[in-house]
Amino acid sequence: MTAPDAVPFGRRLAEAVADRGPLCVGIDPHRSLLLDWGLTDDVDGLRRFTDLVVEALAGRVALLKPQSAFYERHGSRGIAVLEEAVVRARAAGALVLLDAKRGDIGSTMDAYADYLRPEHPMAVDALTVSPFLGPGSLDPAARTARASGGGLFVLARTSNPEGGEVQHATAGGRSVAQHVVDAVGRWNTPDWLVGDPAPDPAAFADQQGRWGAFTGSFGVVVGATLPELDVDLAGLRGPVLAPGLGAQGGSVADLRRLFGSGRAVVPTVSRDVLNAGPDVAALRAAADRWTAELGA
Ligand SMILES: O=c1ccn([C@@H]2O[C@H](COP(=O)(O)O)[C@@H](O)[C@H]2O)c(=O)[nH]1
């Protein structure tokens, strides 16, 4: 059942985009970045790095996307740094997408989805998930997301060059990537989960997939690096997270070429913004440059 005060992630994201522009900035404390910032590659350096990014950008961009791998590599103390940062970023007005790319059988996905429950110590607004065990294995996470006003971004056509080896494979005349997009599109319809209490009809009143109108809480990941858009996003009714800008070679022109202007796209950049640190003003200026270019 949907908690009465749970504003759906899709609506909160659309509001953030209307206020701040569509940019998502990734918090990826690579070892090399910690050293470039004059920090140590340990928990103290990790904390300082994260604090500075949160101070610079929470509430300034639509989404912050901490990459869990860079915290996990420092063990439990690294995860504690991430947890404190998530709490602080959300208190400062940020929407937080935890990039952890979880994917498992349904009963285990149910546990991963607890990240989306408000009572979780590291509660986040949305989570990245991997559909390799079949999109249906993610249903329990989608159910929790819908109940708690959270969001999911499912890997569909990833930005890395190897992605197509599996994502282009076909079954039943559709590519694996298309199966993923179609499954996510179903989550974004009001009749998904028939038998559960009906969700707020206003949440589904207008799902044209454009900012300014409500978009669904379930999105897909499609890289800005693709040579061409080889999935049909018409039935998605939700946002597209587009990584691969800057360090991986993607540009704003690539976003336009791939997605045009009629789609709810959240471009995400990590290193290209983080390289501007550790100065807070310089980090803000780097993010602002992307936002201006995206809006132009
Ligand atoms: O297809 C994907 C899915 C996720 N990512 C993640 O996004 C950032 C990209 O970092 P950059 O420094 O902007 O290249 C990183 O955390 C990846 O794990 C992706 O790149 N592609």
Side-chain angles (χ1 to χ4, degrees):
M1 181 172 26
T2 305
D5 57 348
V7 179
F9 172 72
R11 192 184 295 170
R12 292 185 289 129
L13 179 60
E15 284 168 7
V17 169
D19 272 4
R20 309 167 194 167
L23 186 66
C24 169
V25 174
I27 312 181
D28 294 37
H30 291 261
R31 177 176 189 278
S32 57
L33 273 172
L34 292 174
L35 301 181
D36 287 352
W37 284 30
L39 301 170
T40 43
D41 181 24
D42 58 16
V43 172
D44 289 338
L46 189 71
R47 182 175 293 109
R48 182 74 186 134
F49 181 100
T50 310
D51 284 353
L52 287 167
V53 180
V54 170
E55 179 189 338
L57 299 176
R60 195 172 183 101
V61 293
L63 272 178
L64 283 180
K65 183 178 77 65
Q67 171 53 260
S68 187
F70 294 109
Y71 294 88
E72 291 172 33
R73 69 180 278 270
H74 293 273
S76 60
R77 294 179 63 217
I79 294 168
V81 170
L82 175 59
E83 187 174 302
E84 287 160 19
V86 166
V87 171
R88 218 175 31 261
R90 295 184 85 210
L95 290 181
V96 175
L97 164 61
L98 179 63
D99 195 350
K101 298 187 183 65
R102 301 305 194 211
D104 211 313
I105 62 169
S107 51
T108 303
M109 280 316 299
D110 200 28
Y112 280 135
D114 281 349
Y115 273 119
L116 301 172
R117 294 188 190 276
E119 62 273 21
H120 191 286
M122 201 201 295
V124 293
D125 299 284
L127 182 68
T128 58
V129 291
S130 169
F132 194 67
L133 277 74
S137 67
L138 303 175
D139 280 359
R143 187 181 286 264
T144 299
R146 182 184 270 191
S148 52
L152 295 176
F153 285 93
V154 188
L155 300 176
R157 278 295 286 122
T158 55
S159 66
N160 56 319
E162 311 83 4
E165 292 169 18
V166 167
Q167 294 154 11
H168 283 155
T170 55
R174 283 181 299 159
S175 68
V176 166
Q178 193 64 52
H179 277 278
V180 172
V181 171
D182 294 347
V184 176
R186 274 195 298 281
W187 292 340
N188 281 323
T189 59
D191 55 351
W192 184 67
L193 292 183
V194 172
D196 276 18
D200 171 9
F204 295 93
D206 183 358
Q207 296 197 46
Q208 300 308 304
R210 291 162 195 265
W211 297 121
F214 176 75
T215 53
S217 295
F218 302 108
V220 292
V221 176
V222 178
T225 49
L226 301 185
E228 59 182 355
L229 184 64
D230 45 25
V231 281
D232 179 1
L233 299 171
L236 176 63
R237 307 177 188 89
V240 176
L241 184 74
L245 297 166
Q248 295 179 51
S251 65
V252 172
D254 289 315
L255 291 173
R256 299 229 165 80
R257 175 178 60 76
L258 292 167
F259 304 113
S261 58
R263 199 156 288 292
V265 176
V266 181
T268 180
V269 184
S270 303
R271 283 168 289 180
D272 200 76
V273 168
L274 301 172
N275 281 332
D279 184 65
V280 164
L283 284 168
R284 287 183 179 149
D288 289 352
R289 273 195 297 278
W290 276 102
T291 298
E293 201 183 338
L294 289 163

